[in-house]
Amino acid sequence: MIWLIGNKGMLGTELSLLLERNRFPFVGTDRELDITDMAALENFASAHSFDWIINCAAYTAVDKAEDDGDVCRSLNADGVGNIAATANKIKARLIHISTDYVFNGKGNRPYTEDDPTDPIGVYGLTKRDGELAVLKNNPDSYIIRTAWLYGKHGNSFVHTMLKLMNERESISVVNDQNGSPTWAYDLASTVLAFFEKDVPFGIYHFTNEGSITWFDFAKEIYSLGRKNGSVTNNCKIKSCTSAEFPAKVARPAYSVLDKSKIKTALGITIPPWDESLRKFLEA
Ligand SMILES: NC(=O)c1ccc[n+]([C@@H]2O[C@H](COP(=O)([O-])OP(=O)(O)OC[C@H]3O[C@@H](n4cnc5c(N)ncnc54)[C@H](OP(=O)(O)O)[C@@H]3O)[C@@H](O)[C@H]2O)c1
């Protein structure tokens, strides 16, 4: 039996649908079972017989986190530590989702799982501390770092772009941050692959293949959106720098992740970002 924590979020919803479709027995919880409440987690776990826990619950508002550090930490670090301790108590394996934001983004080649972390904002710092709590409290865990996630459920860059492209004559998108857009469906499928293969515990990187800037991503969303009718307006996509686009906290300039480890361990081929974007928009 699988316990899916954070089942109502963007990735959690995608995972729920995929678990259902593949007939995996699972129970999903979200806010109603607060991950900061250790006793509640333990009570819930003791009432079931879980072999696996997947954690998608998180504080994901990157800018807001700068002013809301205590709440962000209580979820991303302490709450995750609670989940890992609960997993350890019931001898369940844990799959926990983390982020490219654990790196400072000053690199110029894809980050491997062994590269030193150095988060530059509250969100990244608390996610990194969550990883450390997982490794300490339940060594039988997989941590999957991902990046630039989008999906059907919840808000994402793709949704925001489609909305703005339909409303405005022009939009400006930053062209100095490099990363790999990742379709939540592809990540969810890869999470399921961990059930099938007995691979070593530890950290793994997963994104779609290829790397681009947000500007390149926006241009492709526009081009595909125009073709399939999800953008009905003429909109000019302009390139700008991060400095021209004020945000509360800096984003890593380079956050491409090396995926060799997960590809070898699971024997998977990862779809390129543009192929997945096309499928997502068609769906
Ligand atoms: N989105 C990205 O671009 C991205 C990139 C890299 C990594 N990640 C990581 O991927 C994972 C999934 O991200 P996502 O975008 O799917 O997140 P999400 O949509 O924000 O989902 C998180 C879920 O956790 C729930 N939650 C909040 N506080 C909780 C609590 N105290 N107890 C239990 N559940 C609680 C949220 O409920 P509410 O909605 O009511 O708050 C929400 O349903 C996260 O670990 C995130 O850090 C995301």
Side-chain angles (χ1 to χ4, degrees):
M1 175 70 86
I2 299 160
W3 180 8
L4 174 60
I5 300 179
N7 71 326
K8 296 194 177 82
M10 177 165 60
L11 179 62
T13 308
E14 200 79 55
L15 266 162
S16 292
L17 294 171
L18 212 55
L19 287 167
E20 258 168 45
R21 201 177 311 150
N22 288 279
R23 299 182 194 284
F24 281 102
F26 77 101
V27 179
T29 61
D30 202 85
R31 258 188 191 274
E32 72 285 0
L33 182 52
D34 187 349
I35 62 168
T36 67
D37 184 343
M38 182 70 188
L41 289 176
E42 284 183 348
N43 283 341
F44 190 80
S46 64
H48 296 82
S49 181
F50 295 122
D51 315 300
W52 288 87
I53 301 177
I54 308 172
N55 178 40
C56 299
Y59 186 110
T60 53
V62 175
D63 286 310
K64 205 170 152 217
E66 294 299 305
D67 295 326
D68 203 13
D70 290 347
V71 178
C72 183
R73 170 161 295 282
S74 74
L75 260 77
N76 290 351
D78 306 337
V80 168
N82 292 341
I83 293 170
T86 306
N88 192 254
K89 198 166 178 189
I90 62 169
K91 302 206 176 335
R93 281 169 282 181
L94 171 64
I95 300 178
H96 170 67
I97 309 299
S98 192
T99 171
D100 55 324
Y101 278 44
V102 298
F103 297 116
N104 63 21
K106 293 179 184 154
N108 53 15
R109 51 136 186 95
Y111 286 102
T112 71
E113 290 80 354
D114 296 328
D115 280 326
T117 58
D118 179 26
I120 56 176
V122 170
Y123 168 75
L125 184 64
T126 60
K127 289 293 289 184
R128 195 273 312 273
D129 292 349
E131 291 186 354
L132 296 175
V134 165
L135 297 172
K136 178 168 170 258
N137 293 355
N138 189 46
D140 288 1
S141 294
Y142 300 104
I143 294 171
I144 307 176
R145 291 184 186 139
T146 190
W148 294 29
L149 209 56
Y150 65 90
K152 191 171 172 197
H153 316 277
N155 280 324
S156 72
F157 181 80
V158 181
H159 287 100
T160 306
M161 285 298 114
L162 289 173
K163 182 171 179 291
L164 293 177
M165 287 164 185
N166 276 307
E167 288 172 357
R168 298 195 187 169
E169 285 176 7
S170 71
I171 55 171
S172 297
V173 186
V174 297
N175 201 16
D176 55 4
Q177 289 171 28
N178 260 275
S180 309
T182 304
W183 186 16
Y185 174 85
D186 290 335
L187 174 56
S189 307
T190 303
V191 168
L192 262 59
F194 277 88
F195 302 148
E196 312 288 343
K197 282 215 167 169
D198 207 9
V199 302
F201 296 114
I203 301 174
Y204 291 84
H205 287 174
F206 180 89
T207 63
N208 278 123
E209 291 283 16
S211 69
I212 48 164
T213 69
W214 290 111
F215 171 67
D216 300 323
F217 193 25
K219 278 196 305 180
E220 188 68 9
I221 294 167
Y222 182 70
S223 160
L224 291 172
R226 286 298 274 163
K227 275 185 209 147
N228 77 5
S230 47
V231 180
T232 52
N233 189 32
N234 278 325
C235 179
K236 188 163 173 44
I237 320 296
K238 295 180 182 165
S239 146
C240 71
T241 64
S242 303
E244 291 173 84
F245 200 88
K248 189 104 195 167
V249 61
R251 266 67 174 165
Y254 181 87
S255 70
V256 183
L257 302 178
D258 185 311
K259 298 168 289 289
S260 315
K261 184 178 171 186
I262 202 165
K263 286 193 282 190
T264 306
L266 295 176
I268 54 169
T269 305
I270 302 177
W273 70 268
D274 48 348
E275 184 184 308
S276 287
L277 177 66
R278 186 178 43 75
K279 284 189 185 159
F280 169 71
L281 289 174
E282 277 168 8

